[in-house]
Coordinates of all heavy atoms in Angstrom, one line a residue:
M1 N 0.9 -1.1 0.0 CA 0.0 0.0 0.0 C 0.9 1.2 0.0 O 1.9 1.2 0.6 CB -0.9 -0.1 1.2 CG -1.8 1.2 1.3 SD -2.8 1.2 2.9 CE -3.8 -0.2 2.6
S2 N 0.5 2.2 -0.8 CA 1.3 3.5 -0.7 C 0.2 4.6 -0.9 O -0.9 4.5 -1.2 CB 2.2 3.6 -1.8 OG 1.5 3.6 -3.1
F3 N 0.7 5.7 -0.3 CA -0.2 6.9 -0.2 C 0.4 8.1 -1.0 O 1.6 8.2 -1.1 CB -0.4 7.4 1.3 CG -1.1 6.4 2.1 CD1 -0.4 5.5 2.9 CD2 -2.4 6.4 2.2 CE1 -0.9 4.6 3.7 CE2 -3.1 5.5 3.0 CZ -2.4 4.5 3.7
T4 N -0.5 8.8 -1.6 CA 0.1 10.1 -2.3 C -0.1 11.2 -1.4 O 0.7 12.1 -1.4 CB -0.7 10.4 -3.6 OG1 -2.1 10.4 -3.3 CG2 -0.5 9.4 -4.7
R5 N -1.0 11.2 -0.5 CA -1.1 12.2 0.7 C -1.4 11.4 2.0 O -2.3 10.5 2.0 CB -2.3 13.1 0.4 CG -2.1 13.9 -0.8 CD -1.2 15.2 -0.5 NE -1.0 16.1 -1.6 CZ 0.1 16.4 -2.1 NH1 1.2 15.9 -1.5 NH2 0.2 17.2 -3.1
L6 N -0.9 11.9 3.1 CA -1.2 11.4 4.3 C -1.1 12.5 5.3 O 0.0 12.9 5.8 CB -0.2 10.3 4.8 CG -0.5 9.7 6.2 CD1 -1.9 9.1 6.4 CD2 0.5 8.6 6.5
L7 N -2.3 13.2 5.5 CA -2.3 14.5 6.3 C -2.6 14.2 7.7 O -3.5 13.4 8.0 CB -3.4 15.5 5.8 CG -3.1 16.0 4.3 CD1 -4.2 16.9 3.8 CD2 -1.8 16.8 4.1
V8 N -1.7 14.9 8.6 CA -2.0 14.8 10.0 C -2.1 16.3 10.4 O -1.3 17.1 9.9 CB -1.0 14.0 10.8 CG1 -1.0 12.5 10.4 CG2 0.4 14.5 10.6
T9 N -2.9 16.5 11.5 CA -2.9 17.9 12.0 C -2.5 17.9 13.5 O -3.0 16.9 14.3 CB -4.3 18.5 11.9 OG1 -5.3 17.6 12.4 CG2 -4.6 18.8 10.5
I10 N -1.6 18.7 13.8 CA -0.9 18.7 15.1 C -1.1 20.2 15.7 O -1.1 21.1 15.0 CB 0.4 18.1 15.3 CG1 1.4 18.9 14.4 CG2 0.4 16.6 14.8 CD1 2.8 18.5 14.6
D11 N -1.0 20.1 17.0 CA -1.0 21.5 17.7 C -0.2 21.4 19.0 O 0.0 20.3 19.5 CB -2.6 21.8 18.0 CG -2.8 23.2 18.4 OD1 -1.8 24.1 18.4 OD2 -3.9 23.6 18.7
K12 N 0.1 22.5 19.6 CA 0.8 22.6 20.9 C 2.0 21.6 21.0 O 1.8 20.6 21.8 CB -0.2 22.5 22.0 CG 0.3 22.8 23.3 CD -0.8 22.7 24.4 CE -1.7 23.9 24.3 NZ -1.9 24.8 25.4
I13 N 3.0 21.9 20.5 CA 4.2 21.2 20.6 C 4.9 21.6 21.8 O 5.0 22.8 22.1 CB 5.2 21.4 19.4 CG1 4.5 20.8 18.1 CG2 6.6 20.7 19.7 CD1 5.3 21.1 16.9
T14 N 5.3 20.6 22.7 CA 5.9 20.9 24.0 C 7.3 20.1 24.2 O 7.4 19.2 23.6 CB 5.0 20.5 25.2 OG1 4.7 19.1 25.1 CG2 3.8 21.3 25.1
L15 N 8.2 20.8 25.0 CA 9.4 20.2 25.4 C 9.3 20.3 26.9 O 9.2 21.4 27.5 CB 10.6 20.9 24.8 CG 10.9 20.6 23.4 CD1 12.1 21.5 22.9 CD2 11.0 19.2 23.1
S16 N 9.5 19.2 27.6 CA 9.4 19.2 29.1 C 10.8 18.6 29.6 O 11.4 17.7 29.0 CB 8.3 18.4 29.5 OG 7.1 18.9 29.2
S17 N 11.2 19.1 30.7 CA 12.5 18.7 31.3 C 12.3 17.4 32.1 O 11.1 17.2 32.5 CB 13.1 19.8 32.3 OG 12.1 20.1 33.3
N18 N 13.4 16.7 32.3 CA 13.4 15.4 33.0 C 12.3 14.5 32.8 O 11.5 14.3 33.6 CB 13.4 15.9 34.5 CG 14.0 14.7 35.5 OD1 14.4 13.7 34.9 ND2 14.0 14.9 36.7
P19 N 12.4 14.0 31.7 CA 11.3 12.8 31.3 C 11.4 11.5 32.1 O 10.5 10.8 31.9 CB 11.6 12.7 29.7 CG 12.9 13.0 29.5 CD 13.3 14.1 30.5
D20 N 12.4 11.4 32.8 CA 12.6 10.2 33.6 C 12.4 10.3 35.1 O 12.9 9.5 35.9 CB 14.1 9.8 33.4 CG 14.5 9.6 32.0 OD1 13.6 9.0 31.2 OD2 15.6 10.2 31.5
V21 N 11.5 11.3 35.5 CA 11.1 11.4 36.8 C 10.6 10.0 37.3 O 11.0 9.6 38.5 CB 10.0 12.5 37.0 CG1 9.4 12.4 38.5 CG2 10.6 13.8 36.8
R22 N 9.7 9.4 36.6 CA 9.2 8.2 37.1 C 9.1 7.2 35.8 O 8.1 7.4 35.0 CB 7.9 8.2 37.7 CG 7.4 6.8 38.3 CD 6.0 6.9 38.8 NE 6.0 7.9 40.0 CZ 5.0 8.7 40.3 NH1 3.9 8.6 39.7 NH2 5.1 9.5 41.4
P23 N 10.2 6.5 35.5 CA 10.2 5.6 34.3 C 8.9 4.8 34.2 O 8.3 4.3 35.1 CB 11.4 4.7 34.6 CG 12.2 5.4 35.5 CD 11.4 6.2 36.3
G24 N 8.3 4.9 32.9 CA 7.1 4.2 32.8 C 5.8 5.1 32.8 O 4.8 4.8 32.5
D25 N 6.0 6.3 33.4 CA 4.9 7.3 33.5 C 5.3 8.4 32.6 O 5.9 9.4 33.0 CB 4.7 7.7 35.0 CG 3.5 8.6 35.1 OD1 2.9 9.1 34.1 OD2 3.1 8.8 36.2
Q26 N 4.8 8.4 31.4 CA 5.1 9.4 30.4 C 4.5 10.7 30.7 O 4.9 11.8 30.2 CB 4.7 9.0 28.9 CG 5.5 7.8 28.6 CD 5.0 7.3 27.2 OE1 4.0 7.8 26.6 NE2 5.7 6.4 26.6
A27 N 3.5 10.8 31.5 CA 2.8 12.0 31.8 C 3.6 12.8 32.9 O 3.3 14.1 33.0 CB 1.4 11.8 32.4
L28 N 4.5 12.2 33.6 CA 5.1 12.9 34.7 C 6.5 13.4 34.2 O 7.4 12.6 33.8 CB 5.3 12.0 35.9 CG 5.8 12.6 37.1 CD1 5.0 13.6 37.7 CD2 6.0 11.5 38.2
T29 N 6.7 14.7 34.2 CA 8.0 15.3 34.0 C 8.3 16.4 35.1 O 7.4 16.7 35.9 CB 8.0 16.1 32.6 OG1 7.0 17.1 32.6 CG2 7.8 15.0 31.5
G30 N 9.4 16.8 35.2 CA 9.7 17.8 36.3 C 11.1 18.2 36.3 O 11.9 17.6 35.7
P31 N 11.3 19.3 37.1 CA 12.7 19.8 37.2 C 13.7 18.9 38.0 O 14.8 19.0 37.9 CB 12.6 21.2 37.8 CG 11.2 21.1 38.5 CD 10.4 20.0 37.8
A32 N 13.2 18.0 38.8 CA 13.9 17.2 39.8 C 13.1 15.9 40.0 O 12.1 15.8 40.0 CB 14.2 17.9 41.0
P33 N 14.0 14.8 40.1 CA 13.3 13.5 40.4 C 12.4 13.6 41.6 O 12.8 14.3 42.6 CB 14.5 12.5 40.7 CG 15.8 13.1 39.9 CD 15.4 14.6 40.1
G34 N 11.2 13.1 41.5 CA 10.3 13.1 42.5 C 9.3 14.3 42.5 O 8.4 14.2 43.3
S35 N 9.6 15.3 41.7 CA 8.7 16.4 41.7 C 7.4 16.0 40.8 O 7.6 15.3 40.0 CB 9.4 17.7 41.1 OG 9.8 17.5 39.8
V36 N 6.4 16.8 41.1 CA 5.2 16.4 40.4 C 4.9 17.7 39.5 O 4.7 18.8 40.0 CB 4.0 16.2 41.3 CG1 2.7 15.9 40.6 CG2 4.3 15.0 42.1
G37 N 4.9 17.5 38.2 CA 4.6 18.7 37.3 C 5.7 19.7 37.2 O 6.9 19.4 37.8
G38 N 5.4 20.8 36.6 CA 6.4 21.8 36.6 C 7.5 21.7 35.7 O 8.5 22.4 35.7
G39 N 7.4 20.7 34.7 CA 8.6 20.4 33.9 C 8.5 21.0 32.5 O 9.3 20.8 31.6
L40 N 7.4 21.8 32.2 CA 7.4 22.4 30.9 C 8.4 23.5 30.7 O 8.6 24.4 31.3 CB 5.9 23.1 30.8 CG 5.6 23.7 29.4 CD1 5.7 22.6 28.2 CD2 4.2 24.4 29.4
A41 N 9.2 23.2 29.6 CA 10.3 24.0 29.3 C 10.1 25.0 28.1 O 10.4 26.1 28.2 CB 11.6 23.2 28.9
A42 N 9.2 24.5 27.1 CA 9.0 25.3 26.0 C 7.7 24.7 25.3 O 7.3 23.5 25.4 CB 10.2 25.2 25.0
E43 N 7.2 25.7 24.6 CA 5.9 25.4 23.9 C 5.7 26.2 22.7 O 6.1 27.3 22.7 CB 4.7 25.6 24.9 CG 3.3 25.3 24.3 CD 2.3 25.6 25.3 OE1 2.0 26.7 25.5 OE2 1.9 24.6 25.9
V44 N 5.2 25.7 21.6 CA 4.8 26.6 20.5 C 3.5 26.0 20.0 O 3.2 24.8 20.0 CB 5.9 26.4 19.3 CG1 6.1 25.0 18.9 CG2 5.6 27.4 18.2
D45 N 2.5 26.9 19.7 CA 1.1 26.7 19.2 C 1.0 26.7 17.8 O 1.5 27.6 17.1 CB 0.2 27.6 20.0 CG 0.1 27.3 21.5 OD1 0.2 26.2 21.9 OD2 0.1 28.3 22.2
G46 N 0.2 25.8 17.2 CA -0.2 25.7 15.9 C -1.6 26.2 15.6 O -1.9 27.2 16.2
P47 N -2.3 25.4 14.9 CA -2.2 24.1 14.3 C -1.4 24.2 13.1 O -1.2 25.0 12.4 CB -3.6 23.5 14.1 CG -4.3 24.7 13.8 CD -3.7 25.9 14.6
W48 N -0.8 22.9 12.7 CA -0.1 22.6 11.5 C -0.7 21.3 10.8 O -1.1 20.5 11.5 CB 1.4 22.4 11.7 CG 2.1 23.5 12.3 CD1 2.7 24.5 11.7 CD2 2.3 23.7 13.7 NE1 3.2 25.4 12.6 CE2 3.1 24.8 13.9 CE3 2.1 23.0 14.9 CZ2 3.5 25.3 15.1 CZ3 2.5 23.4 16.1 CH2 3.2 24.6 16.2
A49 N -0.8 21.4 9.5 CA -1.1 20.2 8.7 C 0.2 19.8 8.0 O 0.9 20.5 7.5 CB -2.2 20.6 7.6
V50 N 0.5 18.5 8.3 CA 1.7 17.9 7.8 C 1.3 16.7 6.8 O 0.6 15.8 7.3 CB 2.6 17.4 9.0 CG1 3.9 16.8 8.4 CG2 2.9 18.7 9.9
D51 N 2.0 16.8 5.7 CA 1.8 15.6 4.7 C 3.0 14.6 4.9 O 4.0 14.9 4.5 CB 1.8 16.1 3.3 CG 1.4 15.0 2.3 OD1 1.3 13.9 2.8 OD2 1.2 15.3 1.1
L52 N 2.6 13.5 5.6 CA 3.7 12.7 5.9 C 4.1 11.7 4.6 O 5.2 11.1 4.8 CB 3.3 11.7 7.1 CG 2.9 12.4 8.4 CD1 2.5 11.4 9.4 CD2 4.2 13.1 8.9
A53 N 3.4 11.7 3.6 CA 3.6 10.8 2.5 C 4.4 11.7 1.5 O 4.9 11.1 0.4 CB 2.3 10.4 1.9
H54 N 4.6 12.9 1.6 CA 5.3 13.8 0.7 C 6.7 14.0 1.0 O 7.1 14.3 2.2 CB 4.5 15.2 0.7 CG 5.2 16.2 -0.2 ND1 5.1 16.2 -1.5 CD2 6.0 17.2 0.1 CE1 5.7 17.2 -2.1 NE2 6.2 17.9 -1.1
S55 N 7.6 13.7 0.2 CA 9.1 14.0 0.3 C 9.4 15.5 -0.1 O 8.8 15.9 -1.0 CB 9.8 12.9 -0.5 OG 11.3 13.2 -0.2
D56 N 10.4 16.0 0.6 CA 10.7 17.4 0.3 C 12.3 17.7 0.5 O 12.7 17.1 1.6 CB 9.8 18.4 1.1 CG 10.0 19.8 0.7 OD1 11.0 20.4 1.0 OD2 9.1 20.4 0.2
P57 N 12.9 18.3 -0.3 CA 14.4 18.5 0.0 C 14.6 19.4 1.2 O 15.7 19.4 1.7 CB 14.8 19.2 -1.3 CG 13.7 19.7 -2.0 CD 12.6 18.9 -1.6
N58 N 13.7 20.1 1.7 CA 13.8 20.8 2.9 C 13.6 19.9 4.2 O 14.0 20.4 5.3 CB 12.8 22.0 3.0 CG 13.1 23.0 1.9 OD1 14.2 23.5 1.8 ND2 12.0 23.5 1.2
Y59 N 13.2 18.7 4.0 CA 13.0 17.9 5.2 C 14.4 17.4 5.8 O 15.4 17.5 5.0 CB 12.2 16.7 4.9 CG 10.8 16.9 4.6 CD1 9.9 15.9 4.3 CD2 10.2 18.2 4.7 CE1 8.5 16.1 4.0 CE2 8.8 18.4 4.5 CZ 8.1 17.3 4.1 OH 6.7 17.6 3.9
L60 N 14.4 17.1 7.0 CA 15.8 16.7 7.6 C 15.9 15.2 7.6 O 14.9 14.4 7.5 CB 15.7 17.2 9.1 CG 15.5 18.6 9.3 CD1 15.3 18.9 10.7 CD2 16.6 19.5 8.8
P61 N 17.1 14.7 7.5 CA 17.2 13.3 7.6 C 16.8 12.7 8.9 O 17.1 13.2 9.9 CB 18.8 13.0 7.4 CG 19.4 14.3 7.3 CD 18.4 15.4 7.3
G62 N 16.1 11.6 8.8 CA 15.5 10.9 10.1 C 16.6 10.1 10.6 O 17.6 9.7 10.1
K63 N 16.3 9.6 11.9 CA 17.3 8.8 12.7 C 17.2 7.3 12.2 O 18.1 6.6 12.5 CB 16.9 8.8 14.1 CG 17.2 10.1 14.8 CD 18.7 10.3 15.1 CE 18.9 10.7 16.5 NZ 20.3 10.6 16.8
G64 N 16.2 6.9 11.4 CA 16.0 5.6 11.1 C 16.8 5.1 9.9 O 16.6 4.0 9.4
G65 N 17.5 6.0 9.2 CA 18.3 5.6 8.1 C 17.8 6.2 6.8 O 16.8 7.0 6.9
P66 N 18.4 5.8 5.7 CA 18.0 6.3 4.5 C 16.5 6.2 4.1 O 15.8 5.2 4.4 CB 18.7 5.5 3.4 CG 19.8 4.9 4.2 CD 19.4 4.7 5.5
G67 N 15.9 7.2 3.6 CA 14.5 7.2 3.2 C 13.5 7.8 4.3 O 12.4 8.1 4.2
E68 N 14.0 7.9 5.6 CA 13.3 8.4 6.6 C 13.6 9.9 6.7 O 14.7 10.3 6.7 CB 13.6 7.7 7.9 CG 12.8 8.3 9.0 CD 12.9 7.4 10.4 OE1 12.7 6.2 10.4 OE2 13.4 8.1 11.4
E69 N 12.5 10.6 6.8 CA 12.7 12.1 6.9 C 11.9 12.7 8.1 O 10.9 12.1 8.5 CB 12.1 12.7 5.7 CG 12.9 12.4 4.4 CD 12.3 12.9 3.1 OE1 11.1 13.1 3.0 OE2 13.1 13.3 2.2
A70 N 12.5 13.8 8.5 CA 11.8 14.5 9.7 C 11.4 15.8 9.2 O 12.1 16.5 8.4 CB 12.8 14.8 10.9
V71 N 10.1 16.1 9.4 CA 9.5 17.4 8.8 C 9.7 18.5 9.8 O 9.2 18.4 11.0 CB 7.9 17.2 8.6 CG1 7.3 18.5 8.1 CG2 7.7 16.0 7.8
P72 N 10.5 19.6 9.4 CA 10.6 20.6 10.3 C 9.3 21.5 10.5 O 8.7 21.8 9.4 CB 11.8 21.5 9.7 CG 11.7 21.1 8.3 CD 11.2 19.7 8.2
I73 N 8.8 21.7 11.6 CA 7.5 22.4 11.8 C 7.8 23.7 12.4 O 7.2 24.8 12.0 CB 6.6 21.6 12.6 CG1 6.3 20.3 11.9 CG2 5.3 22.4 12.9 CD1 5.5 19.3 12.8
A74 N 8.5 23.7 13.5 CA 8.9 25.1 14.3 C 10.2 24.9 14.9 O 10.7 23.9 15.1 CB 7.8 25.2 15.4
A75 N 10.8 26.1 15.2 CA 12.0 26.2 15.9 C 11.9 26.8 17.3 O 11.3 27.8 17.4 CB 13.0 26.9 15.0
L76 N 12.4 26.2 18.2 CA 12.4 26.7 19.6 C 13.8 27.1 19.9 O 14.7 26.4 19.9 CB 11.9 25.7 20.6 CG 10.4 25.5 20.5 CD1 10.0 24.1 21.2 CD2 9.7 26.7 21.1
K77 N 14.1 28.5 20.1 CA 15.5 28.9 20.3 C 15.8 28.9 21.9 O 17.0 29.1 22.2 CB 15.6 30.2 19.6 CG 15.6 30.1 18.1 CD 15.8 31.4 17.5 CE 15.5 31.2 16.1 NZ 16.3 32.1 15.2
S78 N 14.8 28.9 22.7 CA 15.0 29.1 24.2 C 13.8 28.4 24.9 O 12.8 28.0 24.3 CB 15.2 30.5 24.6 OG 13.9 31.1 24.5
Q79 N 13.9 28.3 26.1 CA 12.9 27.6 27.0 C 11.9 28.8 27.2 O 12.0 29.3 28.3 CB 13.6 27.1 28.2 CG 14.5 25.9 28.0 CD 15.0 25.3 29.3 OE1 14.3 25.1 30.2 NE2 16.2 25.1 29.4
N80 N 11.0 29.0 26.3 CA 10.0 30.1 26.5 C 9.1 29.9 27.6 O 8.2 30.9 27.8 CB 9.4 30.3 25.0 CG 8.5 29.2 24.7 OD1 8.4 28.2 25.3 ND2 7.9 29.4 23.4
R81 N 9.0 28.9 28.2 CA 8.1 28.6 29.4 C 8.9 28.4 30.7 O 8.5 28.0 31.6 CB 7.2 27.4 29.1 CG 6.2 27.6 28.0 CD 5.1 28.6 28.4 NE 4.1 28.6 27.4 CZ 3.6 29.6 26.8 NH1 4.1 30.8 27.1 NH2 2.6 29.5 26.0
N82 N 10.2 28.8 30.6 CA 11.1 28.6 31.7 C 12.1 29.7 31.7 O 13.3 29.5 31.7 CB 11.7 27.2 31.7 CG 12.5 26.9 32.9 OD1 12.2 27.5 34.0 ND2 13.5 26.0 32.7
G83 N 11.5 30.9 31.7 CA 12.5 32.1 31.8 C 13.5 32.3 30.6 O 14.4 33.0 30.8
N84 N 13.0 31.8 29.5 CA 13.8 32.0 28.2 C 15.3 31.6 28.4 O 16.3 32.0 27.8 CB 13.8 33.4 27.7 CG 12.4 33.7 27.1 OD1 11.9 32.9 26.3 ND2 11.9 34.8 27.4
Q85 N 15.5 30.6 29.3 CA 16.9 30.0 29.4 C 17.2 29.2 28.2 O 16.4 28.8 27.4 CB 16.9 29.0 30.6 CG 16.7 29.6 32.0 CD 16.7 28.5 33.0 OE1 17.6 27.8 33.1 NE2 15.7 28.4 33.8
S86 N 18.5 29.1 27.9 CA 19.0 28.3 26.9 C 18.8 26.8 27.1 O 18.7 26.4 28.2 CB 20.6 28.5 26.6 OG 20.8 29.8 26.2
F87 N 18.6 26.1 26.0 CA 18.5 24.6 26.2 C 19.9 24.0 26.6 O 20.9 24.5 26.1 CB 18.0 23.9 25.0 CG 16.6 24.2 24.7 CD1 16.2 25.1 23.6 CD2 15.6 23.6 25.3 CE1 14.8 25.3 23.5 CE2 14.2 23.7 25.1 CZ 13.9 24.6 24.2
A88 N 19.9 23.1 27.4 CA 21.1 22.4 27.9 C 21.7 21.7 26.6 O 21.0 21.1 25.9 CB 20.8 21.5 29.0
T89 N 23.0 21.7 26.6 CA 23.7 21.0 25.5 C 24.7 19.9 26.2 O 25.5 19.4 25.4 CB 24.5 21.9 24.6 OG1 25.4 22.5 25.4 CG2 23.6 22.8 23.9
D90 N 24.4 19.5 27.4 CA 25.3 18.5 28.1 C 24.7 17.1 28.1 O 25.2 16.3 28.9 CB 25.5 19.1 29.4 CG 24.2 19.1 30.3 OD1 23.2 18.9 29.8 OD2 24.2 19.5 31.5
G91 N 23.8 16.9 27.2 CA 23.2 15.5 27.2 C 21.8 15.4 28.0 O 21.2 14.4 28.1
T92 N 21.5 16.5 28.5 CA 20.1 16.6 29.3 C 19.0 16.1 28.3 O 19.0 16.6 27.1 CB 19.9 18.2 29.7 OG1 20.9 18.4 30.6 CG2 18.5 18.2 30.3
R93 N 18.2 15.3 28.9 CA 17.0 14.8 28.0 C 15.9 15.7 28.1 O 15.6 16.1 29.2 CB 16.7 13.4 28.4 CG 17.9 12.5 28.1 CD 17.8 11.1 28.7 NE 16.5 10.5 28.8 CZ 16.0 9.5 28.1 NH1 16.7 9.1 27.1 NH2 14.8 9.0 28.3
Y94 N 15.0 15.9 27.2 CA 13.7 16.5 27.1 C 12.8 15.6 26.6 O 13.0 14.8 25.7 CB 13.8 17.7 26.3 CG 14.8 18.9 26.8 CD1 16.1 19.0 26.4 CD2 14.4 19.7 27.8 CE1 16.9 20.0 26.9 CE2 15.2 20.7 28.4 CZ 16.4 20.9 27.9 OH 17.3 21.8 28.4
A95 N 11.5 15.8 27.1 CA 10.4 15.0 26.5 C 9.7 15.9 25.5 O 9.5 17.0 25.7 CB 9.4 14.7 27.7
F96 N 9.3 15.3 24.4 CA 8.7 15.9 23.2 C 7.2 15.5 23.3 O 6.9 14.3 23.5 CB 9.3 15.5 22.0 CG 8.6 15.8 20.7 CD1 8.7 17.1 20.2 CD2 7.8 14.9 20.0 CE1 8.0 17.4 19.1 CE2 7.1 15.1 18.9 CZ 7.2 16.5 18.4
G97 N 6.3 16.4 23.1 CA 4.9 16.1 23.2 C 4.2 17.0 22.1 O 4.7 18.0 21.7
F98 N 3.0 16.5 21.7 CA 2.1 17.4 20.8 C 0.7 16.8 21.0 O 0.4 15.8 21.5 CB 2.6 17.3 19.4 CG 2.5 15.8 18.8 CD1 1.3 15.4 18.3 CD2 3.6 14.9 18.9 CE1 1.3 14.1 17.6 CE2 3.4 13.7 18.5 CZ 2.4 13.2 17.7
D99 N -0.2 17.7 20.6 CA -1.7 17.3 20.6 C -2.0 17.1 19.1 O -1.5 17.8 18.2 CB -2.5 18.4 21.0 CG -2.4 18.7 22.6 OD1 -1.8 17.8 23.3 OD2 -2.8 19.8 22.9
S100 N -2.9 16.1 18.9 CA -3.4 15.9 17.6 C -4.8 16.5 17.5 O -5.4 16.6 18.6 CB -3.4 14.4 17.2 OG -4.3 13.7 18.1
C101 N -5.1 17.0 16.4 CA -6.4 17.7 16.4 C -7.0 17.4 15.0 O -6.5 17.0 14.1 CB -6.3 19.2 16.6 SG -5.1 20.0 15.4
R102 N -8.3 17.6 15.0 CA -9.1 17.3 13.7 C -8.8 18.4 12.8 O -8.7 19.5 13.1 CB -10.6 17.0 14.0 CG -11.4 18.2 14.4 CD -12.8 17.9 14.5 NE -13.6 19.0 14.9 CZ -14.2 19.8 14.0 NH1 -14.3 19.4 12.7 NH2 -14.8 20.8 14.2
Q103 N -8.9 18.0 11.5 CA -8.6 18.9 10.4 C -9.9 19.7 10.2 O -11.0 19.3 10.1 CB -8.2 18.2 9.2 CG -7.9 19.1 7.9 CD -7.5 18.3 6.8 OE1 -7.0 17.1 6.8 NE2 -7.4 19.0 5.6
L104 N -9.8 21.1 10.1 CA -10.9 21.9 9.8 C -11.3 21.9 8.4 O -10.4 21.8 7.5 CB -10.6 23.4 10.3 CG -10.2 23.5 11.9 CD1 -9.9 24.9 12.1 CD2 -11.5 23.2 12.7
P105 N -12.6 22.0 8.1 CA -13.1 22.0 6.7 C -12.5 23.2 6.1 O -12.3 24.3 6.6 CB -14.5 21.9 6.9 CG -14.9 22.3 8.2 CD -13.7 22.2 9.1
R106 N -12.4 23.0 4.6 CA -11.9 24.2 3.9 C -13.0 25.3 3.8 O -14.3 24.9 3.8 CB -11.5 23.8 2.5 CG -10.3 23.0 2.3 CD -10.0 22.8 0.9 NE -8.8 21.9 0.8 CZ -8.3 21.7 -0.3 NH1 -8.8 22.1 -1.5 NH2 -7.2 20.9 -0.4
R107 N -12.6 26.4 3.8 CA -13.7 27.5 3.7 C -13.7 28.1 2.2 O -12.8 28.1 1.5 CB -13.3 28.7 4.6 CG -13.3 28.3 6.0 CD -13.0 29.4 6.8 NE -13.0 28.9 8.3 CZ -13.1 29.8 9.3 NH1 -13.3 31.0 9.1 NH2 -13.2 29.2 10.4

């Protein structure tokens, strides 16, 4: 099976600090082990419609090897929900999240 179009709509992309507060509980992030919530580091709001079946030279190489592409949607230059601090570059892990939303009808 192949698709000429595969549209998904996403909204509210988030990056949260310390995704390993409680292994196995993806909803729990935080600034320190054992803390509850408070881990939101950055957020950008959409919505965006992304065609996952379309290849584009502007897409980034994916981690899965040849043929896999990552679609650039937004750029976060700082932790805009955490005092605009810079993102750590020391191997600190962040959790990535997004909301899926229904596609609105054309007007």
Side-chain angles (χ1 to χ4, degrees):
M1 179 182 294
S2 64
F3 295 93
T4 55
R5 296 275 184 241
L6 179 59
L7 295 177
V8 297
T9 50
I10 59 173
D11 195 4
K12 194 175 287 239
I13 296 172
T14 60
L15 289 177
S16 299
S17 62
N18 199 3
D20 303 313
V21 168
R22 185 177 303 145
D25 186 350
Q26 296 176 351
L28 187 61
T29 61
S35 65
V36 178
L40 182 60
E43 176 181 82
V44 62
D45 292 324
W48 298 273
V50 179
D51 185 355
L52 298 178
H54 176 75
S55 184
D56 188 290
N58 293 316
Y59 290 176
L60 306 169
K63 289 282 228 174
E68 184 175 296
E69 297 177 324
V71 180
I73 297 171
L76 288 163
K77 298 182 184 212
S78 67
Q79 296 183 47
N80 64 0
R81 296 289 190 228
N82 189 21
N84 286 319
Q85 296 180 52
S86 297
F87 287 104
T89 58
D90 61 0
T92 297
R93 293 166 37 102
Y94 292 96
F96 169 79
F98 64 92
D99 291 341
S100 59
C101 55
R102 69 181 185 95
Q103 185 174 347
L104 298 174
R106 289 184 181 186
R107 294 181 182 199

